[in-house]
Amino acid sequence: MAIATTDPNTGEVVRTFTPLTDQEVEERISTAVEAFTALKGTDFAQRSGWMQTAAGLLEADVDNLSAIMTQEMGKTLTASAAEVRKCATALRYYAEHAEAFLADKPYNAEAVGARRAFVRYFPLGPVLAVMPWNFPMWQVIRFAAPGLMAGNVGLLKHASNVPQTALYLEELFLRAGFPRGSFQTLLIPARQVESVLRDPRVKAATLTGSEPAGQSVASIAGDEIKPVVLELGGSDPFIVMPSADLDRAVETAVRSRTQNNGQSCIGAKRFLVHEQVYDAFVDKFVAAMGALVVGDPTDPKTDVGPLVSEQGRKDLEALVDDAVDKGAKVLVGGERPDRPGWFYPPTVLTGVTDRMRLYTEEAFGPVAPVYRISSVDEAIALANVVHFGLGSNVWTEDEAEREAFIAGIDAGAVTVNGMTTSYPELPFGGTKRSGLGHELADEGIREFCNAKTVWVGA
Ligand code: NAP
């Protein structure tokens, strides 16, 4: 894929970039090693100060940065601004908490015949981050903030369609005061990831993206015996039981399915509704999805902007067409509008069965299959039918039902009467083929640390 900014609102190529040569990549890895030495000589207070500065810089530049993000991947300006502010919050969160998260962890010295026994956390060195376009700032910040605070340095291989956002991130940490090379952007194609990851000076990798990309990076990391964190796809269930507050459930279902123009890993992607409230839910859901304003993402009135790319729209259409060909019914949407840009309308389908790809595959756009279920057990079985296990959403006022869902759904998160969202304060990670390891909160910062066990005798 060419490294370029292509505006999804118009389909026009705005700016192209020349990929780094092998020699330039080599120089950047050397710079990263030097930066690691410099960063190791700093303490938490120093790094925290730079992190706070980075947060302030982001907030001061929210309009400019939002315009870049919207032009590169099509999310609404409102959504871009919200993402920038969330990134500033995460930078401050790690600025304030990293030292406590990485404090020495004492163990029972007496039990092992020692005077003192504890674990101390050390950074690993240069970490390669392979990141996706859908939350082009947030996905990177949730690696960069804990990573830099722990004392690691970052090498970012961002998605090829968000090069300006990628370069902005490199500048951000430099402007904030971090030593040169602490966070570098490598404008390289995906095929060059392997040689960077196999370089012995690169100590670990984190990837957020699709399953094939995750498989590739994890197998190289496995071959090199390097730690890897994977945040991959999802097809999260949204379960509505009879006791739910239906209006809130519908409003949240619409928001979850259409946020980021339907391209969020933790967006609700399958709607499992109890037969007692099925008809009422479907009526309200279809009306609300059909009422959303689809259009120019820079217009404040727009709810849903374009999909990221022509290919992204083709992939989504292929899922809907396959379902319709095999008997599913489209209740609203389902037709691409006749206009430039890669738009696709909010779409609701019923009658989706296990013969259709939509039953198990991830729909990365505003497409919502609704299923009728008649019990908790049936809901759990259908929730677990996919090989993903990222998030899940459950709407019920019944305590026993909640407990059954929390225990029964195979996912990295269960959200009760709300919408699955990532927070700096909570760990985030998937199970099954949605990923390995965790980001955010205390767990996220320890993923790329050597937890060194120390035993001190009398
Ligand atoms: P993608 O095609 O896998 O791309 C993600 C990143 O991986 C890009 O930087 C891409 O580079 C690179 N890449 C692609 N193939 C690679 C390979 N074989 N080896 C090394 N690097 C490779 O994914 P996407 O389409 O951009 O993102 C959508 C997917 O990400 C969805 O499945 C979504 O659910 C998932 N996602 C998950 C989370 C989470 O936290 N779990 C968050 C957001 C998104 P190029 O751009 O140069 O190809």
Side-chain angles (χ1 to χ4, degrees), residues 213-437:
Q215 277 175 315
S216 170
V217 164
S219 53
I220 297 162
D223 199 35
E224 297 290 335
I225 325 240
K226 293 181 182 178
V228 64
V229 167
L230 300 178
E231 299 288 0
L232 308 179
S235 189
D236 291 4
F238 189 102
I239 299 169
V240 184
M241 297 301 285
S243 61
D245 178 332
L246 206 60
D247 286 334
R248 277 185 59 221
V250 169
E251 184 270 320
T252 309
V254 171
R255 210 157 26 92
S256 183
R257 183 55 290 209
T258 59
Q259 64 160 334
N260 214 35
N261 308 340
Q263 304 159 121
S264 166
C265 54
I266 45 171
K269 301 203 176 99
R270 299 175 296 138
F271 298 83
L272 286 48
V273 185
H274 195 277
E275 58 192 4
Q276 284 176 26
V277 288
Y278 179 86
D279 290 340
F281 178 92
V282 170
D283 285 351
K284 287 169 190 264
F285 188 48
V286 167
M289 289 283 274
L292 293 172
V293 177
V294 180
D296 183 342
T298 63
D299 184 338
K301 290 195 285 299
T302 295
D303 297 307
V304 182
L307 296 183
V308 67
S309 66
E310 190 166 19
Q311 189 59 48
R313 181 165 69 174
K314 277 188 191 155
D315 292 346
L316 189 68
E317 276 178 329
L319 280 183
V320 174
D321 291 349
D322 169 74
V324 171
D325 288 349
K326 292 171 183 163
K329 204 169 147 200
V330 173
L331 302 187
V332 68
E335 298 262 334
R336 65 157 79 172
D338 183 17
R339 56 164 293 173
W342 297 306
F343 291 87
Y344 196 82
T347 298
V348 179
L349 295 106
T350 55
V352 172
T353 70
D354 60 4
R355 294 184 308 114
M356 304 169 190
R357 291 176 53 205
L358 194 52
Y359 192 74
T360 48
E361 292 185 32
E362 178 180 26
F364 220 49
V367 168
V370 187
Y371 301 87
R372 184 193 294 265
I373 47 106
S374 56
S375 68
V376 169
D377 287 348
E378 194 188 347
I380 291 173
L382 189 52
N384 290 342
V385 91
V386 296
H387 63 230
F388 298 111
L390 198 54
S392 60
N393 309 269
V394 172
W395 283 76
T396 173
E397 297 298 325
D398 184 307
E399 195 55 40
E401 286 179 358
R402 287 181 189 173
E403 288 301 320
F405 287 127
I406 293 167
I409 297 176
D410 293 333
V414 179
T415 301
V416 181
N417 296 346
M419 180 173 121
T420 307
T421 309
S422 56
Y423 303 92
E425 299 85 354
L426 291 181
F428 183 103
T431 184
K432 294 160 80 177
R433 291 179 77 88
S434 287
L436 298 174

Side-chain angles (χ1 to χ4, degrees), residues 131 133 139 142 157 160 208-210 213 231-233 265 362 428:
M131 290 290 143
W133 47 265
Q139 297 297 346
R142 66 193 208 176
K157 183 276 181 270
S160 293
T208 301
S210 63
E231 299 288 0
L232 308 179
C265 54
E362 178 180 26
F428 183 103

